[in-house]
Amino acid sequence: MTATPDILVLGLGAMGAATLMHASGRGATVVGIDRFAPPHTHGSTHGESRITRLAIGEGPEYVPLVQRSHQLWRDLEQRREVSLYEACGGLILGCGEATPMHGQAHFFESTVNVAAAHGITHELLDATQIATRWPQFQLTGAEQGYFEPEAGYVRPEACIAAQLAEAKARGAMIHTGERLLSWSEDSRGLLIQTDRGSYRPGQVIVCLGAWLPKFVPPGFVPPGLVSAPALRVTRQVLYWFAADKPESYQANRFPIFIWNWGPKAGQGFYGFPDLGGGVKVATDGHQPCDPDAVPRVVSEAEVTHLYDTHVRSRLRGLGPACVRTATCLYTEAPDARFWIDRVGHNGPIIVSACSGHGFKHSAAIGESVARWALRGELPAVLQPFAYVPER
Ligand SMILES: Cc1cc2nc3c(=O)[nH]c(=O)nc-3n(C[C@H](O)[C@H](O)[C@H](O)COP(=O)(O)OP(=O)(O)OC[C@H]3O[C@@H](n4cnc5c(N)ncnc54)[C@H](O)[C@@H]3O)c2cc1C
């Protein structure tokens, strides 16, 4: 039998869970499907924590999304009595030279400019001030710091679980262990085939994360578009190192940080306070992969390389013993931007996996995408993320 929900959400990770929750309880029949049982460890949304910050150095157009997301996390925390967002403060360290990040040529300067333009509370610090406040950082003296008190981290697995629970409470149907096989369009509209059946929904929202390129492969031209961005999936590794004095790295004494210590690509890493299982650090990886065949084992050589390159001479009291690792997936558009767009006139709404910096915006993206599907009008906050081929 072919099901005919008003709204069908494909993929229930960061973007899909948020979208499902906001689409639910508004009079429409809403179904969400996922091939696994989110939150899970196969995609892009696991590993304990994600950085959030208000001054988005990637561009001012992202600021309304993260501001709204912070409000939505707080609302959800109250409603479901869970802890989702910790404003432990965030420090961005620059090296005094232009450092590229997420498609932005001078990430530090751009962050400061966005903070000033949006009236975001922050402090600019020199190396002496940084060292006095956080002696955990071992500095050269040339560093410049941007500190934002409202920055911090969000718990991705807890966010997904809370949003799915809330969606269910509002009447959404959630089908886990159901896999999308194909989508097509005929004279009767969209036809979605899964390994359990078929759907003719009013609206389809595609939140497949790293699996999106399998349905929108490079060179594929969705109807109504001139072309689609060639999305690239890469393997990312998260590392947890034990601190000699764990209390000195706890969230009341240590911020999240992004540290671009040199001007070249690869000369930067980011990290989090110790949430009980070590200090998590990572750097952007560039190894392309197939999400169904990504090597999940992290080698000793990888651990040693990460520790020697980034940690050994920069974070005091963290030894080389790695207590935990996890592999995760980035799905990046060529310019590291987001791709949130409708295919054709009334085709699927595509919500891309957002190029390795999407989680902090996911609550607001879900809210706006749900509104778009329910009301038919593209919310202004999403307009900057439509795909423009010549960009
Ligand atoms: C290591 C790492 C660190 C990051 N750090 C940050 C950070 O600090 N701050 C930040 O803001 N962002 C960060 N990001 C980015 C952020 O986590 C992602 O942008 C976001 O989680 C992507 O969510 P998603 O919903 O697109 O993908 P996912 O959460 O992976 O969801 C996709 C879902 O689709 C399902 N699916 C796939 N194929 C099918 C199918 N055929 N049928 C049914 N279901 C299917 C999957 O099972 C999955 O549940 C990081 C990402 C990684 C990997």
Side-chain angles (χ1 to χ4, degrees):
M1 203 180 80
T2 301
T4 56
D6 295 319
I7 295 181
L8 178 66
V9 180
L10 302 173
L12 299 175
M15 305 300 163
T19 302
L20 192 81
M21 184 186 96
H22 288 287
S24 306
R26 297 176 191 277
T29 51
V30 180
V31 175
I33 73 166
D34 199 288
R35 60 183 288 187
F36 300 114
H40 58 70
T41 57
H42 305 285
S44 304
T45 315
H46 57 278
E48 185 176 81
S49 50
R50 289 291 184 271
I51 289 175
T52 185
R53 49 196 155 84
L54 291 175
I56 303 294
E58 288 85 348
E61 64 277 23
Y62 296 91
V63 175
L65 288 178
V66 72
Q67 286 177 325
R68 179 67 183 144
S69 291
H70 282 193
Q71 289 171 351
L72 291 168
W73 302 133
R74 288 291 184 234
D75 288 352
L76 192 58
E77 282 178 331
Q78 288 204 337
R79 210 171 311 132
R80 301 222 60 92
E81 298 183 351
V82 286
S83 171
L84 303 176
Y85 156 47
E86 300 292 339
C88 62
L91 181 67
I92 297 180
L93 292 132
C95 62
E97 295 179 65
T99 49
M101 193 170 155
H102 295 159
Q104 189 58 252
H106 199 326
F107 184 75
F108 185 89
E109 190 180 278
S110 171
T111 298
V112 174
N113 290 343
V114 169
H118 284 80
I120 293 164
T121 304
H122 68 281
E123 291 173 72
L124 297 180
L125 306 169
D126 62 24
T128 308
Q129 291 167 313
I130 298 168
T132 305
R133 204 178 296 186
W134 299 284
Q136 301 91 331
F137 294 115
Q138 195 168 319
L139 307 171
T140 64
E143 292 81 3
Q144 46 185 177
Y146 165 94
F147 179 70
E148 187 186 289
E150 270 193 69
Y153 63 91
V154 195
R155 301 175 196 274
E157 294 92 342
C159 289
I160 289 181
Q163 290 171 126
L164 292 182
E166 184 65 20
K168 202 170 171 190
R170 295 180 188 182
M173 278 168 282
I174 296 175
H175 301 179
T176 55
E178 178 167 354
R179 191 164 152 228
L180 169 71
L181 298 178
S182 67
W183 77 58
S184 57
E185 209 171 348
D186 60 21
S187 57
R188 291 167 58 204
L190 286 164
L191 176 64
I192 307 298
Q193 293 286 354
T194 75
D195 58 359
R196 291 220 211 132
S198 56
Y199 298 82
R200 280 201 180 274
Q203 298 281 318
V204 177
I205 303 167
V206 183
C207 306
L208 295 173
W211 287 267
L212 179 61
K214 295 208 173 201
F215 293 90
V216 188
F220 171 83
V221 181
L225 291 183
V226 179
S227 63
L231 299 172
R232 204 170 75 104
V233 179
T234 52
R235 175 179 179 267
Q236 306 296 324
V237 183
L238 300 165
Y239 304 81
W240 284 257
F241 291 96
D244 296 345
K245 294 180 186 155
E247 64 280 6
S248 67
Y249 277 95
Q250 283 172 359
N252 57 352
R253 291 171 66 181
F254 190 68
I256 64 92
F257 70 89
I258 297 172
W259 190 347
N260 291 314
W261 47 264
K264 295 187 188 144
Q267 294 183 325
F269 71 126
Y270 60 91
F272 297 78
D274 187 336
L275 306 186
V279 176
K280 187 178 96 173
V281 297
T283 187
D284 288 344
H286 303 284
Q287 185 188 335
C289 67
D290 177 337
D292 290 314
V294 58
R296 295 288 180 181
V297 174
V298 178
S299 69
E300 274 303 315
E302 286 179 281
V303 172
T304 304
H305 181 72
L306 184 284
Y307 183 80
D308 287 348
T309 307
H310 299 287
V311 178
R312 183 187 290 281
S313 62
R314 294 190 182 84
L315 294 178
R316 288 200 173 90
L318 289 195
C322 190
V323 291
R324 185 184 157 197
T325 58
T327 52
C328 205
L329 302 164
Y330 276 0
T331 308
E332 295 167 272
D335 47 9
R337 290 179 59 84
F338 295 177
W339 178 31
I340 303 173
D341 214 340
R342 193 190 275 285
V343 175
H345 178 61
N346 198 31
I349 296 174
I350 305 258
V351 185
S352 79
C354 296
S355 295
H357 57 107
F359 192 84
K360 66 181 79 59
H361 307 289
S362 58
I365 289 174
E367 180 186 48
S368 294
V369 167
R371 192 171 296 157
W372 188 5
L374 288 163
R375 298 187 190 162
E377 207 174 293
L378 172 64
V381 75
L382 293 182
Q383 282 171 10
F385 307 108
Y387 177 59
V388 181
E390 62 274 18
R391 188 165 63 203

